[in-house]
């Protein structure tokens, strides 16, 4: 049986964090997919697409609606790096620290990104434009050091180029 967001959930601020239409879309996604076996990842993916991340209260709601233990839902979200329980910026920067990128200066790229954005890896900028993540491989070893911003891969990155690359995304706002 479909259950709306409870009063307890309201008190803990889902409505304060998300517009009513986004929460209605979450309900719609769950309702359309809840009877499909193995639909958890699909639901999580679509809900994250609507909300930008998967806060714990949403994970509790999904578990309740799918009649699953919360630990199973949280386990899936924390296993797959695609999912995020923390808010993410408009542009997610994935800085590669795989072997080829590391050897060719990937850690210098990360350091420059951190200082330019004034964030630690895993955090979002105050303007909510960027989130910085360190990854082990982007599959762009021939273009090391590399980073991705959104869906675009930047290869052979020189740390001096980082501010200009970021500025090009700021102009897209």
């Amino acid at each position: 049986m479909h259950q709306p967001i409870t009063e307890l959930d309201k008190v803990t601020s889902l409505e304060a964090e998300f517009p009513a239409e986004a929460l209605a879309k979450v309900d719609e996604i769950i309702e359309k997919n809840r009877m499909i076996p193995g639909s958890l990842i699909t639901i999580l993916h679509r809900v994250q697409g609507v909300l930008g991340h998967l806060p714990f209260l949403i994970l509790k709601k999904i578990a309740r609606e799918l009649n699953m233990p919360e630990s199973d839902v949280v386990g899936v979200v924390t296993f797959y790096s695609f999912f995020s329980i923390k808010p993410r910026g408009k542009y997610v920067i994935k800085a590669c620290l795989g072997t080829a990128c590391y050897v060719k200066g990937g850690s210098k790229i990360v350091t420059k990104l951190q200082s330019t954005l004034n964030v630690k890896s895993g955090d979002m900028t105050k303007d909510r434009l960027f989130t910085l993540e360190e990854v082990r491989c982007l599959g762009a070893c021939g273009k090391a050091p590399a980073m991705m911003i959104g869906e675009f891969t930047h290869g052979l990155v020189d740390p001096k180029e980082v501010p200009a690359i970021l500025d090009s995304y700021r102009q897209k706002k």
Side-chain angles (χ1 to χ4, degrees):
M1 173 192 254
H2 176 69
Q3 298 174 353
I5 295 173
T6 66
E7 289 301 314
L8 175 61
D9 292 338
K10 288 181 183 180
V11 169
T12 53
S13 81
L14 274 178
E15 278 77 11
E17 188 174 352
F18 301 106
E21 57 271 7
L23 295 175
K25 183 69 176 164
V26 168
D27 288 338
E28 180 183 322
I29 290 166
I30 294 169
E31 189 59 34
K32 278 185 178 178
N33 294 283
R34 64 191 313 228
M35 300 308 288
I36 301 170
S39 64
L40 177 60
I41 290 177
T42 298
I43 290 169
L44 293 168
H45 176 73
R46 291 180 180 161
V47 168
Q48 182 169 284
V50 171
L51 302 179
H53 69 291
L54 297 164
F56 185 67
L57 288 175
I58 290 294
L59 299 181
K60 283 178 65 171
K61 177 177 177 53
I62 291 169
R64 186 173 57 239
E65 296 289 335
L66 298 181
N67 197 27
M68 295 177 71
E70 289 174 16
S71 60
D72 287 357
V73 176
V74 172
V76 168
V77 169
T78 56
F79 179 79
Y80 291 104
S81 63
F82 172 80
F83 296 122
S84 177
I85 57 173
K86 291 172 58 175
R88 295 167 120 182
K90 179 177 179 180
Y91 299 109
V92 177
I93 301 168
K94 295 181 180 183
C96 185
L97 290 177
T99 304
C101 287
Y102 187 83
V103 168
K104 294 195 173 192
S107 62
K108 292 176 184 172
I109 303 300
V110 171
T111 300
K112 187 65 174 184
L113 285 162
Q114 289 174 333
S115 65
T116 303
L117 295 170
N118 195 30
V119 295
K120 295 177 186 172
S121 294
D123 290 343
M124 178 176 58
T125 57
K126 289 181 182 177
D127 63 3
R128 300 180 68 101
L129 195 57
F130 297 104
T131 295
L132 177 59
E133 297 178 350
E134 295 177 13
V135 297
R136 293 294 155 231
C137 186
L138 294 174
C141 303
K143 294 185 176 192
M147 66 181 186
M148 282 184 76
I149 301 180
E151 299 297 318
F152 187 79
T153 302
H154 296 267
L156 303 171
V157 178
D158 183 311
K160 293 178 217 156
E161 298 170 342
V162 167
I165 292 169
L166 295 174
D167 284 344
S168 71
Y169 287 88
R170 285 186 180 106
Q171 292 170 7
K172 292 179 186 181
K173 269 189 190 181

